[in-house]
Amino acid sequence: EPEVTQTPSHQVTQMGQEVILRCVPISNHLYFYWYRQILGQKVEFLVSFYNNEISEKSEIFDDQFSVERPDGSNFTLKIRSTKLEDSAMYFCASFRGPETYEQYFGPGTRLTVT
Amino acid sequence: GEDVEQSLFLSVREGDSSVINCTYTDSSSTYLYWYKQEPGAGLQLLTYIFSNMDMKQDQRLTVLLNKKDKHLSLRIADTQTGDSAIYFCAENRDDKIIFGKGTRLHILP
């Protein structure tokens, strides 16, 4: 069964530091996403990525955030200068295309900003 | 409004049926989903329904869709302690998933 993987599972960083969260989507999928879940709250869409560019981003995804697909397999989320309120679980998801129904979610990276 | 709405808590006795309700917003959503999240874990797709269906059954799970009222429900028959989790209703909107706040299902012995 193909799956989305994410590393690390838990990242602790100090406020103001840069972090990079990594994801390996399913290999024949074309659409990639990042979602965020602040503890006790709902899962929120951050950004979608298709054909090597951002296709949509939410208002949460400000200039501190960036995404990249540096090679054929990895999909990364970078937060340039972390804030306390960036502490959350970050989920990567991949999606084969509009004719299919399922977005496959990774297990998440818990980011703790101190 | 813009939100997917669902009640926050549900308590059910073991062996009874659980029914979790949700209202969604976008009548053009192609797919509607139920995700399960156990404590400290990721998101597991439990089941989904295509918008031109009104019911889908999958073992102990029954999904009902009322498209006119934009109402989705998940019924879990013979609820077990392993069903204790947060259940997220979600809709597909412009190829992204919009989630509700989740219903925490608590199983009483």
Side-chain angles (χ1 to χ4, degrees), chain B residues 43-54:
Chain B
L43 296 163
Q44 175 196 353
L45 179 65
L46 261 188
T47 188
Y48 69 96
I49 188 165
F50 191 50
S51 60
N52 68 354
M53 300 167 65
D54 50 23

Side-chain angles (χ1 to χ4, degrees), chain A residues 40-104:
Chain A
Q41 298 188 25
K42 68 177 177 179
V43 179
E44 300 171 290
F45 166 77
L46 286 178
V47 65
S48 57
F49 190 86
Y50 171 71
N51 203 26
N52 283 319
E53 60 183 24
I54 290 173
S55 46
E56 187 176 351
K57 58 185 180 179
S58 73
E59 59 190 29
I60 302 167
F61 194 89
D62 62 22
D63 292 342
Q64 293 299 312
F65 291 87
S66 62
V67 289
E68 199 176 34
R69 189 157 161 82
D71 53 42
S73 58
N74 289 284
F75 179 52
T76 61
L77 173 70
K78 182 192 290 185
I79 309 174
R80 284 192 190 81
S81 177
T82 50
K83 304 187 281 287
L84 294 176
E85 54 265 37
D86 294 327
S87 294
M89 183 75 96
Y90 289 82
F91 292 105
C92 173
S94 73
F95 180 49
R96 193 155 56 107
E99 72 280 5
T100 59
Y101 68 88
E102 183 171 0
Q103 284 194 14
Y104 290 78

Side-chain angles (χ1 to χ4, degrees), chain A residues 31 33 35 37 40-45 48 56 89 91 95 98-103 105-108 110, chain B residues 3-4 30-31 33 35 37 40-43 45 48 86 88 92-102:
Chain A
Y31 296 76
Y33 303 81
Y35 293 83
Q37 184 183 31
Q41 298 188 25
K42 68 177 177 179
V43 179
E44 300 171 290
F45 166 77
S48 57
E56 187 176 351
M89 183 75 96
F91 292 105
F95 180 49
E99 72 280 5
T100 59
Y101 68 88
E102 183 171 0
Q103 284 194 14
F105 282 81
R110 182 169 296 284
Chain B
D3 284 349
V4 176
T30 314
Y31 294 102
Y33 309 88
Y35 282 84
Q37 186 180 38
L43 296 163
L45 179 65
Y48 69 96
I86 300 175
F88 292 96
N92 178 306
R93 193 188 300 168
D94 301 325
D95 293 333
K96 61 183 183 287
I97 307 291
I98 306 298
F99 289 86
K101 290 183 178 176

Side-chain angles (χ1 to χ4, degrees), chain B residues 21 29 61 100 103:
Chain B
N21 295 300
S29 291
L61 305 178
T103 298

